[in-house]
Amino acid sequence: MSHYIGTDVIEMAVRKYLRKMNGYTMLDEISSPDSGFTMASINSNGDLKSPGSPPDKKITEADAEKQPLSGKKEERWWNTLMQVAVPFFIAGCGTIGAGLVLGSVRNWEVFQVVKAIFVLVPSLSGLKGNLDMCLASRLSTQANLGNMVSPREVISMVVGNISLVQVQAIVAATVVSMFAVIVNTIVDKAFNGDYVLLLIASAIFTATTTCFVLDFVMVMVIFGSQKFKVNPDNVATPLAASIGDIVSNSVLAVTAQYMFEQIKISLWQPIALLCVYYSLLPIWVFIVWKNKYTKTVLTTGWTPVISALFISGIGGIVLDQAVEQYQGYEVFQPIVNGIGGNLVCVQSSRLATNLHQTAIPGVLPENTRIIEWPWKTLFYGTTASKVARMLLILAVCGQIIFMVVADFVYQGFVSLQFAFGITYVLCSLIQVMVLLYLSYILIHFMWKKKKDPDNAAIPYLTALGDLLGSVFLGLAFVILSLFGLEYGNNVPT
């Protein structure tokens, strides 16, 4: 009995898919007993086979990457490159700005006294990946599936998702600020209640403000992408990151310094701020709970977000320690982390959209494995490798440009040594390669487990990007220091 029920469900799903994607109108006739065709007559590409046709041929590795990454017409490589490259370089400007902001505020009084603020930096910057990029990926998938047509449904979808991000931002900022408090207590071997209020208030205000701004940018970008026939998977997440890093670092620095000055006089301002946000939290929860597009995420989407915060928090501890020992580390760390996170989000968003369009949850597409050899996912042999190659080239070219520009703006002239340039580009390239490989495995694993990658994969990947970027860049600075080639040692004092 269960066999026939399972077959009926699969048949109905395939019929619905073919009506939507290929425009078949006579599927009932095709599967009728007199037609000579059955559901087995539909091959893996959604095409009909004649009753006597041989079975599908297995796709060879040489032909694998020629298969389109979606049910739509395959994008030309130059179209993909242009769609990814333009927002990528715009995002790069944002990461340079974020690094320069961090380099200029590191000597502010609040950063000198409350060292735990450095722990907040990667986590709050990473919230754009945990929350806003997940929103961008969810809306991009809905746009590619053709579900953003009815104005009423679009408004419901947008309001529900923005409210969801506000809920997640308040809770996530509270959790990561408590993590920073614990780190600060361990490092200073003392507990200061005033600094607890400062950290929580600054983190919540930064997270909610940044996410609210980015959410509206995302919605406009995705609508604009639809209007100009551009794949939103290619442009939405990098453009979110283009202002996410610099906005979050700037808001955090200004808010923390302001709160630091206020708590010397009175504690009413941070307390009042926290009361306002925690009073709004039940309202946001109610809106999300009543929204059909976000109700499920509200109850099931917390594990990746909270886990990612702690992963990014470890990267914050690395940043906190490295800033004191290595000049210029705080300038280049947001660039390495931001670029790696941007590129892996493009790839993961495309892979998630592909699975939504070509497979049912729990079932991988034909000839697709969860774990592939690295060279097949990064260079040649799978449908994802073509875009992965493109992203790796962008990573190398982009990091060279961003490194030179950041150094020139920070120092006032180009002070880079050849050894630093090679080491920096190598560590950033390794970070991107690891992230792209992990994204392939993680997204297909989650799909196999019937979890939506749009909600669960990107937080882990961006958090790992922050951690790996911080660690690899730290190792680069350590290796260079061993040979007396520290960054800035040739700058006249």
Side-chain angles (χ1 to χ4, degrees):
M1 182 67 179
S2 59
H3 169 75
Y4 292 104
I5 293 176
T7 304
D8 291 340
V9 171
I10 295 174
E11 182 172 342
M12 289 174 62
V14 174
R15 286 184 182 181
K16 182 178 180 182
Y17 171 79
L18 290 178
R19 285 194 187 100
K20 187 173 184 179
M21 303 301 296
N22 298 328
Y24 284 107
T25 57
M26 298 181 65
L27 285 172
D28 291 332
E29 297 179 12
I30 290 172
S31 59
S32 64
D34 299 331
S35 66
F37 292 96
T38 64
M39 291 307 294
S41 302
I42 302 174
N43 64 15
S44 58
N45 296 321
D47 302 322
L48 288 174
K49 304 181 295 183
S50 61
S53 296
D56 288 346
K57 293 182 179 179
K58 184 177 181 180
I59 299 176
T60 62
E61 293 178 4
D63 295 330
E65 68 175 286
K66 297 180 182 179
Q67 303 298 315
L69 259 181
S70 70
K72 298 181 179 181
K73 184 178 179 181
E74 182 181 8
E75 291 178 351
R76 299 292 185 182
W77 69 268
W78 55 84
N79 289 334
T80 304
L81 178 62
M82 289 302 298
Q83 292 177 21
V84 174
V86 173
F88 168 75
F89 283 104
I90 295 175
C93 296
T95 59
I96 292 173
L100 295 174
V101 167
L102 202 56
S104 63
V105 304
R106 62 171 294 185
N107 294 321
W108 287 11
E109 185 180 6
V110 65
F111 283 87
Q112 294 294 315
V113 176
V114 188
K115 295 291 186 180
I117 292 183
F118 282 112
V119 179
L120 292 177
V121 171
S123 297
L124 293 179
S125 296
L127 278 179
K128 74 178 187 301
N130 298 346
L131 307 180
D132 296 296
M133 287 189 177
C134 282
L135 178 142
S137 185
R138 287 194 299 267
L139 294 182
S140 296
T141 296
Q142 295 299 322
N144 281 320
L145 292 175
N147 294 336
M148 297 184 69
V149 178
S150 169
R152 183 175 180 179
E153 292 299 314
V154 169
I155 293 174
S156 175
M157 194 181 302
V158 170
V159 170
N161 276 280
I162 290 178
S163 302
L164 172 66
V165 171
Q166 288 298 300
V167 173
Q168 293 176 323
I170 294 173
V171 175
T174 302
V175 172
V176 74
S177 57
M178 295 307 298
F179 177 76
V181 168
I182 295 173
V183 172
N184 187 63
T185 303
I186 295 174
V187 172
D188 295 345
K189 297 180 180 179
F191 179 81
N192 190 317
D194 295 351
Y195 293 165
V196 173
L197 289 174
L198 182 150
L199 289 169
I200 299 177
S202 301
I204 291 179
F205 184 80
T206 301
T208 53
T209 304
T210 304
C211 288
F212 198 73
V213 172
L214 290 181
D215 289 346
F216 279 100
V217 172
M218 283 299 89
V219 172
M220 290 187 290
V221 167
I222 291 171
F223 275 109
S225 300
Q226 283 189 299
K227 182 176 180 180
F228 292 102
K229 309 299 182 183
V230 175
N231 187 350
D233 282 327
N234 295 334
V235 299
T237 50
L239 282 177
S242 65
I243 61 173
D245 288 332
I246 189 170
V247 169
S248 63
N249 285 359
S250 301
V251 173
L252 175 64
V254 173
T255 305
Q257 182 63 35
Y258 175 79
M259 289 294 177
F260 184 74
E261 297 294 337
Q262 294 303 312
I263 63 174
K264 295 178 181 178
I265 305 172
S266 173
L267 297 177
W268 76 267
Q269 289 195 5
I271 293 175
L273 184 69
L274 293 177
C275 290
V276 170
Y277 277 108
Y278 287 133
S279 298
L280 289 174
L281 184 59
I283 300 175
W284 294 124
V285 171
F286 178 79
I287 295 174
V288 174
W289 184 257
K290 293 296 183 180
N291 191 288
K292 64 179 181 180
Y293 294 104
T294 54
K295 181 177 180 179
T296 303
V297 183
L298 180 64
T299 56
T300 61
W302 289 103
T303 301
V305 172
I306 301 301
S307 301
L309 284 176
F310 284 108
I311 296 173
S312 295
I314 298 174
I317 297 175
V318 176
L319 172 64
D320 184 29
Q321 298 299 314
V323 162
E324 298 180 356
Q325 301 181 37
Y326 301 107
Q327 178 188 357
Y329 180 89
E330 72 280 359
V331 175
F332 295 102
Q333 188 255 12
I335 301 175
V336 174
N337 292 0
I339 297 307
N342 297 347
L343 294 177
V344 75
C345 283
V346 171
Q347 181 75 323
S348 59
S349 183
R350 291 175 62 91
L351 289 172
T353 296
N354 175 52
L355 290 172
H356 279 287
Q357 291 179 328
T358 61
I360 16 178
V363 180
L364 294 177
E366 187 179 5
N367 299 306
T368 300
R369 298 188 303 176
I370 295 177
I371 299 179
E372 276 287 3
W373 292 104
W375 62 81
K376 288 186 179 181
T377 60
L378 298 177
F379 303 109
Y380 186 79
T382 62
T383 55
S385 61
K386 181 174 68 174
V387 176
R389 290 196 303 266
M390 198 179 303
L391 296 178
L392 290 173
I393 294 173
L394 277 177
V396 174
C397 298
Q399 287 289 13
I400 293 174
I401 296 173
F402 301 147
M403 172 182 63
V404 175
V405 172
D407 175 65
F408 177 78
V409 176
Y410 182 62
Q411 300 285 11
F413 62 96
V414 178
S415 65
L416 294 172
Q417 296 178 327
F418 181 76
F420 177 84
I422 291 295
T423 308
Y424 173 85
V425 172
L426 183 62
C427 82
S428 61
L429 179 62
I430 294 174
Q431 176 218 26
V432 174
M433 291 175 66
V434 173
L435 289 176
L436 292 178
Y437 181 60
L438 290 178
S439 71
Y440 185 93
I441 295 175
L442 185 61
I443 286 175
H444 287 93
F445 173 78
M446 288 183 170
W447 188 262
K448 185 69 175 178
K449 296 297 182 181
K450 299 183 179 180
K451 294 183 178 180
D452 188 353
D454 282 328
N455 297 324
I458 289 180
Y460 287 117
L461 293 171
T462 54
L464 286 172
D466 290 339
L467 177 58
L468 293 176
S470 299
V471 171
F472 289 163
L473 184 63
L475 288 175
F477 272 79
V478 170
I479 293 172
L480 289 170
S481 66
L482 293 177
F483 294 93
L485 299 172
E486 297 95 334
Y487 172 76
N489 64 354
N490 60 334
V491 177
T493 56

